[in-house]
Each structure stands twice: as C-alpha cells, then as structure tokens.
Amino acid sequence: RVSRAGRINEPFLEFGHGKRFGNFSLNSRLGGKVAPKAMNERFDYNKIDLGLALSRPIGRTKLKGSLEWARTRYKDGNVTFLREIYTPVKTFIPGTGSNINNAFIPLPLDGSLYGAKYGNTKGRFQLDLDFPIVADIDKLFWLLYTERWDMNIYANYGGAWSDSVTPTTSRGNV
C-alpha cells in the first residue's frame, strides 16, 4: 500500500519574457523546482520546464507556433508517482478553475485524444490558427454578453518518454 501522507517542500523559480518584432510576438518561459532531501523526508528531485511561442496577427486572424519541454529527475529510483504528464488535448472550460480531460475519444494508434502519457521528460510542438466567425456581435443575451465568436484550428505533436531508470515503489515499477 502506498502512503500519501506527509508534505513536500518544493521551492520554485520562474522567468518569463515577451518581445515584439514588428508584427511578431515572441514569448519565452523558463521555470524550475527543487525538492531537496535536506528539506524533505521522502523526496529528492528537481524539475525544469521551458516554453517558446511565436505569434503573428494576420488581419483579425492570429497564427501561433509554440514549443514546450519539461523534465523531472530524481536522485534515486525510489520515487512514487513522480512523472511528467502529456495530454494531447487540454480542454478548458472558463469558470471551472481547471482543465477538463475526462472525455474518451479513441485514436487509431496509441491511446486517446484526452488520455495521458507518462515519463520523466515531455515535449510538445503546437500550431494554432484563431479567426473570427462573427467578428462584431456586441450583444447582451439575457445575462451573457457576446462580443464575437472565434474558431480555433490547431495541430499538436508531442509525447512523454522516460530516458533514465523507471521510478519504482516497494511494489515494483510505477
């Protein structure tokens, strides 16, 4: 039986920067976390993640390409459930406070559209195209104000993989 009792001390630091080059916007992010053995009873790991996005408006349409990468490394292989999680599609519903990824849509090769892949490293390349379907609605429908309706088309390629020893528990591989 795996115990989930206890606490974790995990100091973190994150930097972000945005820059405009004419019509292009370049945004970058670098972050890191550590959970050193000196501060934690059960954990000793570090995590680094970075992201880079380039976008350009074309009239009312916006084209964006982005890269994400993250990795988690632990000092020994005895870490419970400490992995990077990659989900092909993240569905966000405003007002819920989180991403909703519970729908199951099967894919022909491996997994599902909303299923997760696990590893100690993950990466993603994504292209987004946002364009208005109805650009200027500007109406109040009962309690809801609608300014415009947009459509988003995207392509996403990525995954999670393990490139070092698989973490284990007292019951075997995680």
Side-chain angles (χ1 to χ4, degrees):
R1 182 177 159 184
V2 176
S3 171
R4 295 187 183 178
R7 71 172 194 199
I8 184 167
N9 295 307
E10 188 180 57
F12 68 93
L13 185 61
E14 185 167 299
F15 297 100
H17 183 70
K19 184 93 173 142
R20 292 192 59 94
F21 301 98
N23 286 334
F24 290 90
S25 295
L26 180 66
N27 296 298
S28 60
R29 178 189 85 253
L30 172 65
K33 296 180 183 179
V34 294
K37 190 75 167 172
M39 296 174 69
N40 294 283
E41 204 174 291
R42 296 179 56 204
F43 296 100
D44 191 8
Y45 69 89
N46 62 67
K47 177 178 177 153
I48 296 172
D49 65 282
L50 56 96
L52 190 62
L54 181 66
S55 61
R56 181 185 194 286
I58 305 167
R60 291 184 170 186
T61 301
K62 180 179 171 186
L63 178 64
K64 180 174 121 181
S66 61
L67 292 169
E68 297 176 12
W69 177 83
R71 66 106 174 126
T72 299
R73 298 293 183 269
Y74 15 85
K75 298 293 184 193
D76 57 27
N78 198 17
V79 177
T80 307
F81 305 115
L82 181 61
R83 293 180 162 200
E84 296 292 331
I85 300 170
Y86 170 82
T87 53
V89 175
K90 294 181 181 177
T91 307
F92 180 74
I93 298 175
T96 62
S98 67
N99 290 332
I100 307 297
N101 286 317
N102 296 331
F104 179 75
I105 299 173
L107 293 177
L109 296 175
D110 186 19
S112 74
L113 198 55
Y114 296 93
K117 292 184 181 247
Y118 302 92
N120 62 14
T121 306
K122 72 176 176 179
R124 174 189 316 265
F125 170 72
Q126 187 166 337
L127 280 173
D128 288 284
L129 182 65
D130 292 315
F131 56 92
I133 296 174
V134 181
D136 296 312
I137 297 173
D138 196 23
K139 294 279 185 201
L140 182 65
F141 299 101
W142 189 50
L143 295 174
L144 303 174
Y145 170 73
T146 303
E147 184 178 343
R148 65 186 211 187
W149 290 345
D150 288 351
M151 179 174 237
N152 177 270
I153 298 173
Y154 64 92
N156 178 352
Y157 181 78
W161 60 93
S162 292
D163 52 21
S164 65
V165 178
T166 302
T168 60
T169 66
S170 59
R171 300 178 74 189
N173 288 349
V174 175

